[in-house]
């Protein structure tokens, strides 16, 4: 008797599943990496603690914008074509944080980070869940 005759289903992992899971994990960790730097930015640029709070709100605005504007991005383009966009935004966000010179640049980096997090979470989740499809 084979699995189809007994009704049992077998997990089949597609090639690239571990890569997709790794990219997803690293990408989601990247959203919190700049957080400890806000204290240093605050000292260097000289903004208040309220602005640090606003920085967290800007992330949320970026995330909500991504959900509203690009929530179905990977459904329309497909997971593979959408992934470079989701991975390219962290580079832009990192450049904003590395070259920080003023608040608008930090806000831009934070908004891009929020946007990227939601774009990557949708694309990454679809890629990882797609990699664990059950054989029928």
């Amino acid at each position: 008797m084979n699995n189809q005759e007994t009704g049992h289903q077998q997990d089949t992992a597609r090639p690239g599943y571990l890569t997709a899971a790794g990219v997803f994990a690293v990408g989601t960790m990247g959203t919190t990496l700049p957080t400890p730097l806000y204290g240093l930015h605050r000292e260097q640029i000289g903004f208040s603690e309220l602005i640090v709070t606003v920085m967290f709100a800007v992330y949320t605005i970026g995330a909500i914008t991504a959900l509203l504007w690009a929530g179905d991005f990977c459904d329309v383009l497909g997971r593979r074509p959408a992934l470079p966009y989701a991975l390219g935004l962290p580079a832009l966000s990192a450049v904003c944080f590395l070259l920080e010179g003023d608040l608008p640049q930090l806000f831009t980096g934070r908004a891009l980070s929020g946007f990227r997090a939601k774009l990557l979470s949708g694309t990454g989740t679809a890629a990882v869940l797609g990699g664990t499809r059950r054989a029928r």
Side-chain angles (χ1 to χ4, degrees), residues 10 15 20 25 32 39 42 60 72 76 78-79 81-82 89 118 121 126 136:
Q10 178 180 351
T32 59
R42 187 173 151 257
T60 305
D72 62 348
V76 173
R79 290 184 301 263
L89 287 175
K118 294 310 165 200
S121 67
R136 292 183 184 208

Side-chain angles (χ1 to χ4, degrees), residues 57-80:
V58 168
Y59 172 87
T60 305
I61 291 168
I64 290 170
T65 302
L67 290 172
L68 294 174
W69 183 71
D72 62 348
F73 195 62
C74 72
D75 293 334
V76 173
L77 286 181
R79 290 184 301 263
R80 211 170 271 187

Side-chain angles (χ1 to χ4, degrees), residues 43-119:
E43 290 174 10
Q44 290 177 351
I45 298 174
F47 53 83
S48 69
E49 290 182 18
L50 175 65
I51 297 298
V52 175
T53 303
V54 171
M55 193 101 46
F56 286 99
V58 168
Y59 172 87
T60 305
I61 291 168
I64 290 170
T65 302
L67 290 172
L68 294 174
W69 183 71
D72 62 348
F73 195 62
C74 72
D75 293 334
V76 173
L77 286 181
R79 290 184 301 263
R80 211 170 271 187
L83 202 53
Y85 292 103
L87 294 174
L89 287 175
L92 291 174
S93 176
V95 166
C96 288
F97 286 117
L98 288 173
L99 301 177
E100 57 80 21
D102 54 11
L103 283 175
Q105 194 170 2
L106 288 175
F107 287 150
T108 301
R110 192 65 177 155
L112 285 171
S113 182
F115 193 92
R116 184 243 341 148
K118 294 310 165 200
L119 184 61

Side-chain angles (χ1 to χ4, degrees), residues 27-43:
T28 54
M29 283 189 308
T31 62
T32 59
L33 289 177
T35 304
L37 298 175
Y38 297 153
L40 295 173
H41 293 310
R42 187 173 151 257
E43 290 174 10

